[in-house]
């Protein structure tokens, strides 16, 4: 009743002219119960009174989404108000649930005030991404197994842990390792190779490694539970980076027997949760993704495009038919997508999707100090090449084996030339 | 009395058919209507001058093809002053995915202004007020940005726009990027989704007509099994595909970006190539096929 009393005094214009700094406040508004929204008492009472009746009709009417999704005539019938009252109540609820309006200029001023990128220390990539991995957005790393995604993540974790005087974020990192690939000895090796002067002192290695918190969820339910806890941790401690390596393992592993519909549902919540977490906390979130082989049927065109002849040579098909494991809906949802691939005997990092960069690819190698680019001038990538993922096939490993290699930590290949450590 | 004038006095004067217009009046209105340029002349040409006001245009494509780029370009181009042939209006940008990068918007605004100053210098000499208006920051100040995190907020915002547009009369374009995002994820009840989307599209169409502005809805793609094979198609299903007046699909043709008019009441189906450069969306000229690094 106290809320309803205050409701009478809240003017519509107050809500809009007040600056609401955090997106969280806006999000909270639309999740509130209608009774807490500050509607005129008469209307709020009606919504509250009908609670019992509406619960069996269509769920909880006290939530704004119910009032907003139902057609007006349904609301009239349900609440016993007339059409004008329903319209003004819906308008009022909409006004409050609507996020605050900002001009693009105020967004720019906000971003100018604080740093908004995590530099990767790979000059060409940082130039292409205009600073590095952006804060407040989801960055995806996708590529075949053994190509270097985890190496990249380890280096990023280290860079974020470094003090600001060395170019780091001086914060904690949460590393969600779903495939048990995190290697702390490799992490220290990268640190000692890349920043010898920092890691000379004994305490530093311990301090840096101590800032990286590693979680190992083994099932989707553990994963979602951990995400909830992470949200709290980000707020309370100084978490500056979240890495999920890999997303595909946890989401695909669950649903071998489920239908496609269930499969699509299972990752919706983690996806929207991660996105809103990124924006709310303004930290970078990096997610890795697997690849799967593509059926020949899946060369996609619009119906108005002439069908390409399917007379491509077999070797071509073997080489380029890989696609990201989580599909096209995931691809729409991430802000930046970096494809790690191998062809023509070299490995490349390709900026496949980015709001601020054309598609460019950088050749790289994996060394003791982590990943380093062989050239800082990106090679331009055009057309369908931007989205395809190439995988080296000169070792003649079957496609099926390559794609299922993800859980394997080490792969040694024996050939006429000798023993190769293909993946470690 | 001639046939036409008798007919006109019959329905126009006393509101016997309230809200009706003769086709001739509509034609005169349409011919006077300005269009919002996309930045690429060939694309403008197949669109009949640019994006039409008073209409809802849907733009769809695969991730990374340039839908957000087009959305930001239109939000900037709508502000081209009337003296330079534009609408001199403001923009509303509804961002459901978080893909709006404000630094990129600044870059596009700079590119638009520098091209204006190069191309229409002769007109600008007569208008001393222009230097203040033609600053990237003033362009950014005229883009109203809403960040939406759930479908409830999306419905609420579109409802609230009714009031917003009454207060801000200069708005000439509403861009929703993307209309699809929250409706693919949060909805299990497809019938409800269809109804909600239908309601939203009707409201947007009403805003377009009432306030003479353009509505541009960006859509994602999905695959559909048609005649024995998978095709790409815009998301949200068949019922939604009827909701928009015009539909443009952005796609890759070999190594070039193209736009295809998939549906329009007055334009024929055609494709046009375009480029995304550091300055924004521009013509794909034969000597400059390479995408320039920013």
């Amino acid at each position: 009743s106290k809320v309803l009393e205050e409701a009478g005094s809240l003017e519509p214009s107050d809500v809009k002219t007040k600056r609401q700094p955090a997106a969280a406040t806006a999000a909270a508004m639309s999740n509130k119960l209608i009774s807490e929204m500050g509607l005129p008492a008469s209307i709020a009472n009606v919504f509250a009174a009908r609670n019992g009746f509406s619960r069996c009709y269509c769920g909880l009417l006290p939530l704004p989404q119910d009032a907003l999704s139902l057609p007006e005539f349904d609301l009239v019938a349900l609440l016993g108000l007339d059409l004008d009252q329903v319209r003004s109540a819906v308008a009022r609820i909409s006004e409050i649930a609507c996020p605050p309006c900002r001009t693009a200029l105020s967004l720019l001023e906000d971003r100018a005030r604080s740093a908004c990128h995590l530099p990767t220390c790979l000059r060409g990539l940082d130039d292409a991404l205009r600073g590095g991995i952006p804060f407040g957005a989801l960055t995806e790393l996708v590529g075949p197994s053994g190509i270097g995604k985890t190496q990249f993540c380890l280096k990023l974790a280290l860079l974020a842990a470094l003090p600001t005087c060395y170019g780091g974020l001086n914060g904690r990192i949460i590393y969600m390792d779903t495939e048990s690939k995190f290697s702390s000895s490799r992490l220290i090796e990268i640190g000692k190779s890349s920043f010898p002067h920092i890691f000379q002192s004994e305490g530093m290695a311990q301090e840096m490694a101590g800032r990286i918190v590693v979680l190992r969820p083994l099932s989707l339910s553990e994963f979602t539970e951990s995400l909830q806890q992470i949200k709290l941790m980000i707020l309370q401690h100084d978490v500056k980076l979240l890495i999920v390596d890999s997303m595909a393992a946890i989401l695909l592993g669950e649903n071998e027997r489920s239908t496609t519909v269930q499969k699509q549902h299972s990752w919706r919540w983690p996806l929207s949760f991660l996105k809103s977490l990124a924006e709310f906390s303004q930290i970078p979130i990096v997610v890795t993704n697997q690849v799967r082989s593509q059926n020949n049927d899946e060369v996609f065109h619009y119906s108005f495009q002439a069908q390409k002849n399917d007379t491509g040579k077999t070797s071509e098909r073997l080489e380029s038919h890989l696609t990201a494991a989580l599909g096209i809906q995931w691809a729409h949802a991430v802000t930046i997508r970096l494809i790690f691939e191998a062809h023509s005997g070299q490995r490349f990092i390709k900026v496949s999707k980015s709001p601020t960069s054309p598609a460019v690819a950088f050749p790289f190698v994996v060394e003791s100090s982590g990943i380093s680019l062989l050239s800082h001038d990106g090679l331009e990538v055009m057309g369908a090449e931007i989205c395809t993922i190439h995988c080296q096939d000169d070792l003649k490993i079957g496609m099926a084996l390559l794609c299922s290699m993800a859980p394997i930590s080490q792969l040694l290949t024996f050939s006429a030339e000798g023993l190769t450590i293909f993946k470690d | 009395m001639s046939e036409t004038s008798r007919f006109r006095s019959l329905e126009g004067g006393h509101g016997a058919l309230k809200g009706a217009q003769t086709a001739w009046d509509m034609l005169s209105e349409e011919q006077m209507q300005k269009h919002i340029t996309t930045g690429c002349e060939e694309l403008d040409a197949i669109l009949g001058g640019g994006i039409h006001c008073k209409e809802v245009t849907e733009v769809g494509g695969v991730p990374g093809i340039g839908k957000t780029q087009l959305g930001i370009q239109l939000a900037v181009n709508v502000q081209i002053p009337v003296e330079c042939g534009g609408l001199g209006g403001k923009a509303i940008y509804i961002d459901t995915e978080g893909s709006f990068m404000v630094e990129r918007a600044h870059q596009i605004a700079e590119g638009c202004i520098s091209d204006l100053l190069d191309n229409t210098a002769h007109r600008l000499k007569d208008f001393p007020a222009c230097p203040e208006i033609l600053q990237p920051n003033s362009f950014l100040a005229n883009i109203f940005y809403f960040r939406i995190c759930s479908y409830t907020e999306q419905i609420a915002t579109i409802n609230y726009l009714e009031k917003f547009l009454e207060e801000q009369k200069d708005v000439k374009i509403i861009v929703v990027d993307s209309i699809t995002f929250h409706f693919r994820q949060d909805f299990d009840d497809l019938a409800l989704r269809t109804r909600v989307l239908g309601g939203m599209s009707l409201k947007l169409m009403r805003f377009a007509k009432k306030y003479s502005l353009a509505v541009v809805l960006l859509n994602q793609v999905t695959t559909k099994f048609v005649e024995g094979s998978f095709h790409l198609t815009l998301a949200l299903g068949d019922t939604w595909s009827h909701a928009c007046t015009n539909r443009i699909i952005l796609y890759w043709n070999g190594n070039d970006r193209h736009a295809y008019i998939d549906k329009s009441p007055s334009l024929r189906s055609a494709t046009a190539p375009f480029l995304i450069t550091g300055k924004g969306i521009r013509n794909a000229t034969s000597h400059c096929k390479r995408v320039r690094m920013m």
Side-chain angles (χ1 to χ4, degrees):
Chain A
S1 60
K2 183 166 185 278
V3 174
L4 294 178
E5 264 172 44
E6 290 169 6
S9 57
L10 191 67
E11 286 300 316
S13 51
D14 289 357
V15 180
K16 282 291 155 256
T17 51
K18 273 190 210 139
R19 278 208 64 191
Q20 299 189 37
T25 326
M29 271 299 188
S30 70
N31 288 334
K32 271 187 173 169
L33 300 180
I34 291 183
S35 58
E36 296 168 5
M37 278 187 143
L39 285 176
S42 55
I43 306 284
N45 276 336
V46 169
F47 276 92
R50 295 289 180 234
N51 192 4
F53 173 62
S54 66
R55 222 179 266 267
C56 51
Y57 180 81
C58 65
L60 305 160
L61 196 57
L63 281 178
Q65 68 196 54
D66 302 304
L68 296 177
S69 333
L70 289 174
E72 287 173 343
F73 292 109
D74 279 14
L75 286 173
V76 167
L78 203 56
L79 302 170
L81 299 168
D82 66 40
L83 192 59
D84 282 334
Q85 284 177 310
V86 161
R87 282 198 178 139
S88 72
V90 168
R92 186 81 174 88
I93 294 173
S94 300
E95 188 174 347
I96 298 175
C98 174
C101 172
R102 306 191 57 187
T103 63
L105 187 60
S106 66
L107 290 178
L108 187 69
E109 285 162 357
D110 271 358
R111 281 181 86 83
R113 247 176 266 149
S114 52
C116 43
H117 291 276
L118 167 61
T120 60
C121 287
L122 301 170
R123 185 164 52 87
L125 188 60
D126 283 344
D127 285 343
L129 296 178
R130 292 177 67 102
I133 308 285
F135 289 9
L138 273 185
T139 301
E140 183 194 17
L141 312 175
V142 59
S145 194
I147 198 139
K149 305 188 294 292
T150 304
Q151 301 295 310
F152 189 81
C153 291
L154 289 176
K155 183 110 189 239
L156 270 187
L158 205 58
L159 289 171
L162 289 178
T164 35
C165 48
Y166 296 117
L169 300 180
N170 200 35
R172 281 200 155 82
I173 294 89
I174 298 182
Y175 196 106
M176 297 192 77
D177 180 20
T178 58
E179 292 172 346
S180 299
K181 280 200 239 155
F182 185 86
S183 161
S184 22
S185 47
R186 175 64 178 137
L187 182 79
I188 303 292
E189 187 193 353
I190 294 178
K192 289 194 171 146
S193 267
S194 326
F195 309 102
H197 48 286
I198 305 176
F199 279 78
Q200 263 164 15
S201 39
E202 258 305 307
M204 264 320 244
Q206 188 180 1
E207 167 78 25
M208 294 295 109
R211 288 181 181 180
I212 302 177
V213 177
V214 181
L215 282 167
R216 293 204 152 123
L218 294 169
S219 68
L220 184 60
S221 46
E222 271 185 47
F223 180 69
T224 45
E225 226 180 271
S226 312
L227 281 183
Q228 300 277 27
Q229 292 172 334
I230 285 171
K231 183 173 181 178
L232 279 175
M233 199 178 162
I234 291 180
L235 295 175
Q236 292 166 352
H237 305 271
D238 219 4
V239 177
K240 292 286 167 82
L241 172 65
L242 170 63
I243 299 179
V244 180
D245 178 17
S246 72
M247 194 74 185
I250 205 76
L251 296 177
L252 296 178
E254 280 287 303
N255 295 307
E256 277 141 11
R257 282 184 299 279
S258 65
T259 62
T260 329
V261 174
Q262 271 185 314
K263 213 183 284 194
Q264 280 176 3
H265 281 244
S266 69
W267 56 263
R268 279 184 192 173
W269 184 82
L271 172 60
S272 44
F273 185 83
L274 283 174
K275 255 189 112 93
S276 56
L277 186 60
E279 287 189 35
F280 165 69
S281 55
Q282 285 297 305
I283 60 168
I285 296 188
V286 177
V287 169
T288 64
N289 195 355
Q290 289 172 358
V291 295
R292 61 180 173 87
S293 54
Q294 191 177 31
N295 303 329
N296 288 339
D297 302 346
E298 288 179 36
V299 181
F300 293 134
H301 297 285
Y302 292 100
S303 42
F304 61 81
Q305 286 175 289
Q307 278 288 4
K308 289 207 170 112
N309 296 359
D310 221 8
T311 54
K313 306 185 196 68
T314 344
S315 59
E316 257 177 33
R317 280 200 214 136
L318 268 179
E319 203 213 288
S320 56
H321 279 211
L322 287 180
T323 187
L326 292 176
I328 207 168
Q329 216 166 326
W330 178 265
H332 275 294
V334 299
T335 309
I336 302 220
R337 173 178 259 200
L338 300 177
I339 293 183
F340 287 61
E341 58 176 4
H343 62 89
S344 332
Q346 274 195 317
R347 300 186 188 195
F348 293 87
I349 297 182
K350 185 161 67 181
V351 179
S352 166
K353 179 183 180 194
S354 158
T356 52
S357 164
V360 284
F362 301 94
F364 74 92
V365 286
V366 181
E367 300 173 326
S368 59
S369 60
I371 289 195
S372 54
L373 299 183
L374 292 174
S375 154
H376 292 287
D377 302 314
L379 303 165
E380 289 178 20
V381 181
M382 311 278 275
E385 281 294 304
I386 296 183
C387 306
T388 50
I389 305 172
H390 292 275
C391 181
Q392 219 164 2
D393 61 350
D394 54 331
L395 291 176
K396 298 199 175 28
I397 296 178
M399 280 291 126
L401 180 57
L402 200 60
C403 296
S404 63
M405 250 168 58
I408 299 174
S409 309
Q410 289 171 312
L411 180 66
L412 309 173
T413 58
F414 292 80
S415 69
E417 288 82 28
L419 167 66
T420 316
I421 299 178
F422 185 70
K423 177 185 177 189
D424 185 354
Chain B
M1 231 199 219
S2 70
E3 269 298 306
T4 22
S5 52
R6 224 183 296 151
F7 188 59
R8 215 173 274 180
S9 65
L10 196 71
E11 59 92 277
H14 301 284
L17 284 170
K18 194 171 171 191
Q21 264 183 314
T22 64
W24 181 258
D25 290 336
M26 283 176 73
L27 179 65
S28 335
E29 250 183 45
E30 266 174 48
Q31 284 173 341
M32 286 197 314
Q33 198 68 254
K34 283 200 174 139
H35 301 118
I36 305 176
T37 170
T38 56
C40 169
E41 279 166 12
E42 290 184 47
L43 185 49
D44 284 346
I46 63 168
L47 287 172
I51 299 287
H52 297 224
C53 286
K54 290 196 163 188
E55 289 181 11
V56 177
T57 306
E58 184 185 4
V59 178
V62 292
I65 188 82
K67 304 185 290 297
T68 302
Q69 303 292 312
L70 182 61
I72 300 178
Q73 184 74 61
L74 292 171
V76 163
N77 286 355
V78 74
Q79 301 183 47
I80 294 176
V82 176
E83 296 88 355
C84 303
L87 276 78
K90 300 189 181 175
I92 291 179
Y93 197 97
I94 299 179
D95 185 2
T96 63
E97 296 178 358
S99 38
F100 183 81
M101 291 268 137
V102 68
E103 294 96 349
R104 179 62 176 147
H106 189 269
Q107 209 182 17
I108 290 181
E110 274 179 340
C112 173
I113 291 170
S114 82
D115 280 359
L116 273 184
L117 293 174
D118 289 338
N119 297 342
T120 59
H122 55 283
R123 285 198 239 181
L124 292 175
K125 269 183 276 174
D126 303 330
F127 299 99
C130 274
E132 287 92 55
I133 305 173
L134 291 183
Q135 294 292 329
N137 282 359
S138 359
F139 272 51
L140 289 185
N142 288 333
I143 299 178
F144 298 110
Y145 177 81
F146 291 86
R147 173 69 175 101
I148 293 193
C149 301
S150 70
Y151 80 88
T152 313
E153 287 187 4
Q154 194 165 339
I155 303 174
T157 307
I158 292 183
N159 288 347
Y160 173 65
L161 281 184
E162 181 116 46
K163 188 169 174 200
F164 191 86
L165 290 171
E166 282 294 327
E167 291 163 13
Q168 296 278 352
K169 292 277 185 192
D170 295 337
V171 172
K172 286 291 169 212
I173 188 170
I174 299 175
V175 179
V176 184
D177 177 12
S178 62
I179 195 91
T180 335
F181 188 64
H182 295 291
F183 289 92
R184 289 181 91 175
Q185 295 194 77
D186 295 350
F187 267 91
D188 297 322
D189 180 356
L190 286 182
L192 174 65
R193 187 180 88 166
T194 311
R195 201 177 57 226
V196 168
L197 285 172
M200 262 173 35
S201 77
L202 279 180
K203 280 204 190 82
L204 288 169
M205 212 171 294
R206 209 176 70 225
F207 295 154
K209 298 248 180 280
K210 184 171 175 190
Y211 300 101
S212 287
L213 44 87
V215 175
V216 176
L217 307 177
L218 304 182
N219 198 356
Q220 296 172 353
V221 296
T222 182
T223 53
K224 186 162 121 172
F225 197 72
V226 161
E227 290 168 10
S229 59
F230 279 99
H231 282 284
L232 281 177
T233 183
L234 298 194
L236 295 181
D238 292 326
T239 316
W240 171 257
S241 65
H242 295 294
C244 298
T245 320
N246 304 304
R247 175 181 267 197
I248 303 173
I249 296 183
L250 306 180
Y251 68 102
W252 286 106
N253 187 1
N255 285 344
D256 300 321
R257 292 180 157 93
H258 281 245
Y260 173 72
I261 310 255
D262 189 46
K263 174 188 168 191
S264 162
S266 57
L267 303 162
R268 67 162 68 120
S269 291
T271 52
F274 67 96
L275 267 191
I276 300 186
T277 67
K279 288 183 173 183
I281 302 223
R282 293 292 185 272
N283 293 340
T285 56
S286 48
H287 8 271
C288 306
K289 280 222 155 125
R290 291 157 61 85
V291 174
R292 274 165 259 145
M293 270 285 276
M294 290 169 229

